[in-house]
Amino acid sequence: MTIRDFTPDDYPIIADIQTAIHPDTPAVPEDYIEYDARRDPKCKHQRWVVEVDGQVVAAGQYDQFVWMYHPLKFFVWVRVLPTFQRRGIGSVLWDHMSAALEPFEPAVLISNSRSDIPDGMRFLEKRGFIETHRARMSNLDIAAADLTPYAGLEDRLAAEGIVIKTCRELANDPERDRKLYDLEWILDQDVPGSEDLTRTTFERWKNDILDSENFLPDAYFVALDGDEYIGMSNLWADRASDMLFTGLTGVKRDYRRRGIATAMKARAVAYGKANNNSIIRTFNEVNNQNMLSINERLGFVKQPDVIQYEKTLRDGVTFCDDVDVSPGSSE
């Protein structure tokens, strides 16, 4: 067994490893290539692969995310091909990665697993990680979805002065991008578990969202009251399949419980039907009952939970320590 640094030639195999572990969430090399190309320079990152008899059978990395940034907090993962698991490969790679992190004196390590992969959960718990958040993964069979109950919803909202437009339809608004940036930050802060979020610059947001190759301008829905952007719901393409992923769905507090989020979600389902997509996948914090109820009424079906784990190495460090996260901060 040999551990070596990742090279660009390894992109296909790390995508294959993810697909082998999560066949319901396939990956292609381009997913990792774009992610690496868009990483903020201030975010530390390192990736390794493990070879057994010349075959790459595992990969691991540490990383930092600009939208949850703290210089002493790191996101880590280890993945081993199923046919090579239970041989100690993941443990050796974990030890290697942990040693590489020591010079940074990390305060907190963050990782995740899924409720249908108990070995992954045990791997983290054995190393001192504890569960901090749990997200419900849900799938909608687009072809089977019935939109009949929502047929008059947008007309009713229009009578109240609320209209829904796509990002493409808003292209003539010179302030569109800045309005979307500000709206997303407002909505993000009401998402359960959002206390760790840090606001990125407008330029970084635009690079990661509007300039992403998975961005769908006709599936990015915005609710408006006059010129004010009051809500959003968006879908993202998947390179490896015809599945769609839901991004952020939310409405400003003063406009909630009027059916606006439901109308945008129904519009998203209609987009999937028109484009012959198979599944819409979404993730919701397990205690976000309002959004879970909306999804259940639309026909979303529960899938395994995605569980976030954390391991505290140094007490007394918060995400805001030594980081300016005010709305006007550069990053």
Side-chain angles (χ1 to χ4, degrees), residues 222-286:
V222 184
L224 299 93
D225 183 0
D227 293 331
E228 182 183 359
Y229 291 14
I230 62 168
M232 68 166 60
S233 183
N234 39 67
L235 297 175
W236 295 84
D238 180 44
R239 292 187 182 90
S241 71
D242 65 352
M243 182 164 52
L244 298 168
F245 285 86
T246 301
L248 175 65
T249 297
V251 177
K252 287 183 176 180
R253 293 182 182 182
D254 291 344
Y255 290 88
R256 291 176 186 166
R257 303 195 180 280
R258 295 170 59 179
I260 298 171
T262 299
M264 292 188 293
K265 298 278 287 187
R267 178 79 78 87
V269 177
Y271 172 91
K273 285 180 175 289
N275 289 274
N276 297 315
N277 295 100
S278 60
I279 291 172
I280 295 177
R281 175 168 292 173
T282 189
F283 299 85
N284 302 103
E285 208 274 341
V286 293

Side-chain angles (χ1 to χ4, degrees), residues 134-165:
R134 185 177 287 247
R136 176 76 43 78
M137 181 167 66
S138 303
N139 286 351
L140 175 71
D141 181 340
I142 297 173
D146 180 13
L147 293 178
T148 304
Y150 311 100
L153 182 53
E154 284 198 47
D155 290 338
R156 178 177 65 76
L157 290 173
E160 299 174 7
I162 307 299
V163 298
I164 297 173
K165 294 186 178 182

Side-chain angles (χ1 to χ4, degrees), residues 93-151:
L93 180 54
W94 178 264
D95 291 343
H96 181 90
M97 186 166 61
S98 298
L101 275 168
E102 285 182 1
F104 303 124
E105 299 183 337
V108 175
L109 303 181
I110 304 170
S111 192
N112 61 58
S113 186
R114 286 182 18 172
S115 59
D116 60 337
I117 306 181
D119 284 350
M121 298 165 63
R122 283 192 292 269
F123 183 91
L124 293 171
E125 291 165 359
K126 181 179 178 180
R127 286 158 180 79
F129 284 78
I130 60 172
E131 178 179 336
T132 55
H133 297 291
R134 185 177 287 247
R136 176 76 43 78
M137 181 167 66
S138 303
N139 286 351
L140 175 71
D141 181 340
I142 297 173
D146 180 13
L147 293 178
T148 304
Y150 311 100

Side-chain angles (χ1 to χ4, degrees), residues 73 136 183 186:
K73 298 198 174 187
R136 176 76 43 78
L183 175 63
I186 290 171

Side-chain angles (χ1 to χ4, degrees), residues 165-218:
K165 294 186 178 182
T166 67
C167 191
R168 190 187 301 277
E169 290 170 335
L170 292 168
N172 290 331
D173 181 354
E175 297 299 317
R176 181 197 69 179
D177 296 354
R178 181 67 65 170
K179 288 180 179 178
L180 292 176
Y181 169 68
D182 290 337
L183 175 63
E184 184 171 308
W185 178 243
I186 290 171
L187 300 180
D188 273 340
Q189 294 175 82
D190 282 340
V191 175
S194 63
E195 61 273 5
D196 293 339
L197 291 179
T198 53
R199 195 178 193 188
T200 64
T201 63
F202 170 72
E203 291 74 18
R204 168 57 52 182
W205 174 86
K206 187 174 183 296
N207 176 76
D208 292 343
I209 303 298
L210 302 186
D211 296 337
S212 170
E213 293 182 18
N214 290 334
F215 177 70
L216 298 171
D218 295 313

